[in-house]
Amino acid sequence: MADLSGTELSEEKEAEIELKKRQKRPWEDLHKSGKIGLNPGLPETLGVYDISAVRREQRELSADPSLARFICTELTRGYFLEHNEAKYTERRERVYTCMRIPKELEKLMIFGFFLCVDAFLYVFTLLPLRVLLALLRLLTLPCCGFSGSRLLQPAQVCDVLKGLILVLCFSMMHYVDYSMMYHLIRGQSVIKLYIIYNMLEVADRLFSSFGQDILDALYWTATEPKERKRDSIGVIPHFFMAVFYVFLHAILIMVQASTLNVAFNSHNKSLLTIMMSNNFVEIKGSVFKKFEKNNLFQMSNSDIKERFTSYVLLLIVCLRNMEQFSWNADHLWVLFPDVFMVVTSEVAVDIIKHAFITKFNDITADVYSEYRASLAFDLVSSRQKNACTDYSDSVARRMGFIPLPLAVLLIRVVMSSVKVQGALSYTCVFLFYLGLVTLKVLNSIVLLGKSCVYVKRANMEDKLFERPSTTPSSSSAKSPSKADQPRCPTPSGESKAEQVPVTPCSPPSSSSSSSSSSSSLL
């Protein structure tokens, strides 16, 4: 009996102790029943969770849902961005990249623009002098005797061919009536002109792509060594092909300039508005595509060429309009708002397009400094003694900018717009020519200095002095002739840079020769 009574007393004590524990920690029953779980986020003191927080959460769960309670929760609920630090840091870097794009892009555009200016001024300034020196050498050969196997050096042959192409195309352009073309275009409807302008832009890119190949084929055919086995159709057919190409391309650019002139002189400016809106359509066709660094480099070069061509077209339009108004300076201020509108739309479209392309493809803004170093490497390489090509040809291959058709058209427009009569006029023309030569020389010096800085900053200067390779690469796609490759020393970087436009960050292929490693950053 004593044992039974002792057991009952101990059970009562245990039940009383358990009841006290439950009163002190009621969340254990709630946890076991599944109504509420232990939350590690609750305040804890000496290893025991705060009972007030548990009761408050229990009251909230037991309360009936209401609109006021939902609004109160929405107004007072919190969240912690630091729990996803990597994600939001990346988003912030994207914003900073988009903010840096205008500055870095315009640095590349300005550098490329002056490269195009240098190649364009070369046609008007140094090319005539080089042609005169080549002709003088031909005239003095009977007196000096034949000092070598060639009558002229390969560079002199190319200069003479360029000069002949310019003279023949300029003579043929006299038979094209600019005024008749202007009035013919002005009589068309706005929609038809819009379609024509888009077709002209596509045709201009196609002509630029195929035109340099025609010119390179002519240069190589004319300078190919005689001991080689010739598999060409001859110099004269290639020469007529080149003349025909330059003439057609000049007419194409003339139609573009006439269309832009009609848009400037239209009363309601509807055509000009449509043409500028066409630039924004370019954003739709570009930003949602997948772009690698190499593709973005090609697009940047194309944008540089397009911007420079637009500026020359605007210059032609201004010259034609000023001629019609007898060179009245007041009319220039009438044209200024439209010119400013076209230039602003070009710059804005380029910035928006490149900003979103870099955003969608996770490309940093530093890539534009690499592109600029690549163009600078082309310039420095072309100044070397063993360079493979002239600098203007290098710019044409890299950017698709061929200065000959544009130069023919500009000479045609200037000659028809400006009347030169009397000794004073010819003196002014000579002084203007000296000014162009001075501008060309100063521009070349500044560009060369800047290019050396960019090349040194990109650690590419050692590649200028690597040993040349005599093995032709089998991966070249744009070479004018396969026989040209072994003869061209590759320390200049031109051969590979012109044939395979590789991204500045891409490593050289293992199957490439040492010449490809010298231009793997191009």
Side-chain angles (χ1 to χ4, degrees), residues 123-371:
V123 179
F124 301 99
T125 56
L126 299 185
L127 181 60
L129 298 179
R130 291 177 63 94
V131 172
L132 289 178
L133 290 177
L135 295 178
L136 184 63
R137 176 181 171 82
L138 283 177
L139 294 176
T140 56
L141 276 178
C143 301
C144 301
F146 297 95
S147 59
S149 59
R150 291 178 178 270
L151 297 178
L152 294 175
Q153 295 298 322
Q156 293 177 325
V157 174
C158 295
D159 293 334
V160 171
L161 290 174
K162 291 178 183 178
L164 289 176
I165 290 173
L166 284 174
V167 172
L168 289 177
C169 291
F170 176 71
S171 302
M172 295 167 63
M173 287 294 291
H174 274 290
Y175 296 97
V176 180
D177 192 352
Y178 187 92
S179 300
M180 183 186 69
M181 184 181 297
Y182 172 80
H183 290 289
L184 181 64
I185 294 175
R186 190 172 186 177
Q188 307 299 322
S189 61
V190 174
I191 300 300
K192 188 181 294 185
L193 288 178
Y194 174 71
I195 297 174
I196 291 174
Y197 191 78
N198 288 336
M199 293 173 59
L200 291 175
E201 283 189 346
V202 176
D204 180 62
R205 294 185 181 184
L206 296 178
F207 270 65
S208 300
S209 175
F210 190 61
Q212 189 60 38
D213 294 337
I214 295 176
L215 296 175
D216 284 340
L218 170 64
Y219 302 151
W220 173 240
T221 305
T223 59
E224 188 176 7
K226 295 181 180 180
E227 60 270 11
R228 286 186 176 272
K229 181 182 178 180
R230 294 175 177 266
D231 54 355
S232 63
I233 60 177
V235 178
I236 295 179
H238 276 288
F239 178 75
F240 283 113
M241 288 173 58
V243 171
F244 185 66
Y245 153 72
V246 174
F247 177 67
L248 288 183
H249 201 174
I251 291 180
L252 178 68
I253 300 175
M254 178 181 283
V255 177
Q256 281 185 302
S258 301
T259 308
L260 188 62
N261 198 4
V262 170
F264 270 58
N265 295 330
S266 59
H267 297 289
N268 53 4
K269 305 295 182 182
S270 58
L271 179 59
L272 185 62
T273 305
I274 293 176
M275 290 169 61
M276 286 190 301
S277 65
N278 188 40
N279 293 330
F280 290 91
V281 176
E282 184 182 355
I283 298 178
K284 178 182 178 182
S286 301
V287 298
F288 300 110
K289 293 181 180 179
K290 180 66 177 177
F291 274 88
E292 300 293 338
K293 289 186 177 181
N294 184 28
N295 305 119
L296 184 59
F297 187 34
Q298 295 174 356
M299 172 175 284
S300 302
N301 292 329
S302 178
D303 291 338
I304 293 171
K305 175 254 179 183
E306 183 180 352
R307 184 178 294 189
F308 179 80
T309 306
S310 300
Y311 293 164
V312 176
L313 291 180
L314 290 174
L315 176 62
I316 293 174
V317 169
C318 292
L319 288 175
R320 296 296 300 176
N321 280 274
M322 293 297 291
E323 180 201 1
Q324 296 297 324
F325 286 90
S326 301
W327 296 95
N328 186 6
D330 295 336
H331 184 68
L332 188 61
W333 295 105
V334 178
L335 295 174
F336 180 77
D338 296 334
V339 173
F340 179 78
M341 197 182 307
V342 173
V343 173
T344 304
S345 66
E346 286 280 349
V347 175
V349 166
D350 289 340
I351 291 176
I352 295 173
K353 180 174 64 176
H354 283 266
F356 281 97
I357 286 176
T358 53
K359 177 185 182 298
F360 292 150
N361 295 276
D362 293 329
I363 301 176
T364 62
D366 297 330
V367 73
Y368 292 103
S369 62
E370 299 174 7
Y371 297 161

Side-chain angles (χ1 to χ4, degrees), residues 31-206:
H31 175 62
K32 293 179 181 179
S33 62
K35 293 181 180 180
I36 185 173
L38 291 178
N39 189 359
L42 294 176
E44 182 181 1
T45 304
L46 296 179
V48 180
Y49 289 99
D50 189 3
I51 188 62
S52 61
V54 176
R55 291 176 179 175
R56 184 168 60 253
E57 186 174 351
Q58 182 179 3
R59 286 196 304 268
E60 291 176 356
L61 291 174
S62 61
D64 295 331
S66 63
L67 179 60
R69 173 173 173 73
F70 177 78
I71 295 176
C72 180
T73 303
E74 289 295 321
L75 293 177
T76 57
R77 69 183 181 91
Y79 49 87
F80 302 93
L81 299 182
E82 61 268 18
H83 292 170
N84 201 352
E85 180 179 354
K87 173 184 175 182
Y88 290 102
T89 303
E90 180 184 0
R91 298 296 175 88
R92 185 173 62 186
E93 292 299 327
R94 288 184 181 181
V95 174
Y96 291 164
T97 299
C98 290
M99 294 172 63
R100 288 180 57 197
I101 287 299
K103 179 182 177 181
E104 298 297 329
L105 177 64
E106 288 305 313
K107 285 183 179 179
L108 174 65
M109 288 288 179
I110 292 173
F111 184 72
F113 176 80
F114 282 104
L115 292 180
C116 293
V117 169
D118 192 66
F120 192 59
L121 289 178
Y122 171 82
V123 179
F124 301 99
T125 56
L126 299 185
L127 181 60
L129 298 179
R130 291 177 63 94
V131 172
L132 289 178
L133 290 177
L135 295 178
L136 184 63
R137 176 181 171 82
L138 283 177
L139 294 176
T140 56
L141 276 178
C143 301
C144 301
F146 297 95
S147 59
S149 59
R150 291 178 178 270
L151 297 178
L152 294 175
Q153 295 298 322
Q156 293 177 325
V157 174
C158 295
D159 293 334
V160 171
L161 290 174
K162 291 178 183 178
L164 289 176
I165 290 173
L166 284 174
V167 172
L168 289 177
C169 291
F170 176 71
S171 302
M172 295 167 63
M173 287 294 291
H174 274 290
Y175 296 97
V176 180
D177 192 352
Y178 187 92
S179 300
M180 183 186 69
M181 184 181 297
Y182 172 80
H183 290 289
L184 181 64
I185 294 175
R186 190 172 186 177
Q188 307 299 322
S189 61
V190 174
I191 300 300
K192 188 181 294 185
L193 288 178
Y194 174 71
I195 297 174
I196 291 174
Y197 191 78
N198 288 336
M199 293 173 59
L200 291 175
E201 283 189 346
V202 176
D204 180 62
R205 294 185 181 184
L206 296 178

